[in-house]
Amino acid sequence: MAAPALSLIAIDGPSGVGKSTTARRVASRLGWHYLDTGAMYRAAALAVLRTGVALADRAALERLLAGLDLAQEGTRIFLAGEDVSEAIRSQEVTRGVTPVSADARVREVLVEQQRRIGASGRWVVDGRDIGTVVFPGACCKIFLTASPEARARRRFLELEAKGQRAVYEEILADQQRRDEADSTRAVAPLRQAEDAAVLDSSDLSLEQVVDRIVAKHLAHP
Ligand code: DC
């Protein structure tokens, strides 16, 4: 007999599609926990950048991973007890995380941690490989998409609202570079799970996206 589905909502999709905000809202509606796996890869990348470990130096990387102390409390992420929630959003980390998240050994260690965290159920988890690799037994899988232009436009408006310098064409090009890297890497590339529901958010508000995910979950809890 097949194992019962794990009560966990997996939300995968490309960068800039609003997965984290959506996942956080869905979790709060259901009274579930939320896990941001992108933040885990970003914190691992920050540790690699700070220590100057070269990914090619496998012994040094192994030591770093053995001592990697990550924690998430609410919306904050901690590296060895230090709140790095802002630091992991820097341009440097956003660039540096692509090779780190493509490393098979890094993924092995982080996926193991993610599985341990989510095993109790009642988690909403977002990332790139949650429905395909980390929790293939999740009861509800969503593949959240939006056109590249819609994603870049949202990011542009977000940065403008914060008073930060933003050039739409640069945002679009950077996003395309990350989409390409995430989708073509050898280990756990971004792809839709066969049993995932595709949700295109290009013309939907955040609330509409959240409503649809909650409705889908409640229809098949
Ligand atoms: O979602 P994000 O931009 O915070 O993710 C940061 C990086 O980590 C991005 O390059 C994709 C990668 N990532 C991944 O490979 N697997 C995940 N489950 C989550 C994120």
Side-chain angles (χ1 to χ4, degrees), residues 44-57 60-61 64:
L46 181 64
V48 167
L49 288 170
R50 280 183 175 175
T51 52
V53 164
L55 292 174
D57 185 346
L61 180 67
L64 182 144

Side-chain angles (χ1 to χ4, degrees), residues 11-16 19-20 36-42 88-89 93-102 107 111 114 125-130 134 178 181-182 185 187-190:
I11 304 181
D12 290 305
S15 60
K19 292 186 301 292
S20 317
D36 181 349
T37 63
M40 294 175 74
Y41 286 100
R42 284 171 180 271
I88 60 167
R89 304 286 159 198
V93 172
T94 300
R95 296 244 152 81
V97 69
T98 302
V100 172
S101 67
R107 298 201 75 84
V111 166
Q114 291 158 13
V125 186
D126 83 306
R128 303 294 189 288
D129 59 341
I130 309 305
V134 188
R178 284 197 283 154
D182 286 350
R185 68 177 174 222
V187 194
L190 168 67

Side-chain angles (χ1 to χ4, degrees), residues 10-13 128 130-132 135-136 138-145 191-199 216:
I11 304 181
D12 290 305
R128 303 294 189 288
I130 309 305
T132 50
F135 295 110
C139 64
C140 181
K141 298 182 189 177
I142 307 290
F143 194 77
L144 193 60
T145 63
R191 67 179 175 82
Q192 182 197 329
E194 272 172 24
D195 49 351
V198 180
L199 189 50
K216 175 175 160 35

Side-chain angles (χ1 to χ4, degrees), residues 11-168:
I11 304 181
D12 290 305
S15 60
V17 75
K19 292 186 301 292
S20 317
T21 318
T22 304
R24 196 171 287 130
R25 291 272 185 104
V26 170
S28 107
R29 282 254 200 111
L30 297 173
W32 286 14
H33 308 286
Y34 162 61
L35 180 65
D36 181 349
T37 63
M40 294 175 74
Y41 286 100
R42 284 171 180 271
L46 181 64
V48 167
L49 288 170
R50 280 183 175 175
T51 52
V53 164
L55 292 174
D57 185 346
R58 304 310 285 176
L61 180 67
E62 207 52 57
R63 278 194 299 277
L64 182 144
L65 289 171
L68 192 64
D69 173 13
L70 298 182
Q72 188 195 289
E73 280 172 32
T75 58
R76 314 302 295 176
I77 178 111
F78 296 85
L79 176 63
E82 177 194 342
D83 186 343
V84 292
S85 314
E86 272 81 41
I88 60 167
R89 304 286 159 198
S90 71
Q91 280 286 9
E92 200 192 358
V93 172
T94 300
R95 296 244 152 81
V97 69
T98 302
V100 172
S101 67
D103 186 281
R105 183 67 186 127
V106 170
R107 298 201 75 84
E108 202 177 357
V109 169
L110 293 194
V111 166
E112 214 246 6
Q113 291 190 10
Q114 291 158 13
R115 287 194 179 134
R116 218 178 318 124
I117 295 169
S120 57
R122 300 172 69 87
W123 282 85
V124 181
V125 186
D126 83 306
R128 303 294 189 288
D129 59 341
I130 309 305
T132 50
V133 174
V134 188
F135 295 110
C139 64
C140 181
K141 298 182 189 177
I142 307 290
F143 194 77
L144 193 60
T145 63
S147 69
E149 292 77 18
R151 289 186 278 136
R153 197 170 52 243
R154 279 186 207 151
R155 181 76 186 134
F156 174 79
L157 293 174
E158 213 175 85
L159 289 172
E160 263 206 331
K162 284 191 204 160
Q164 290 177 20
R165 182 189 157 276
V167 179
Y168 173 81

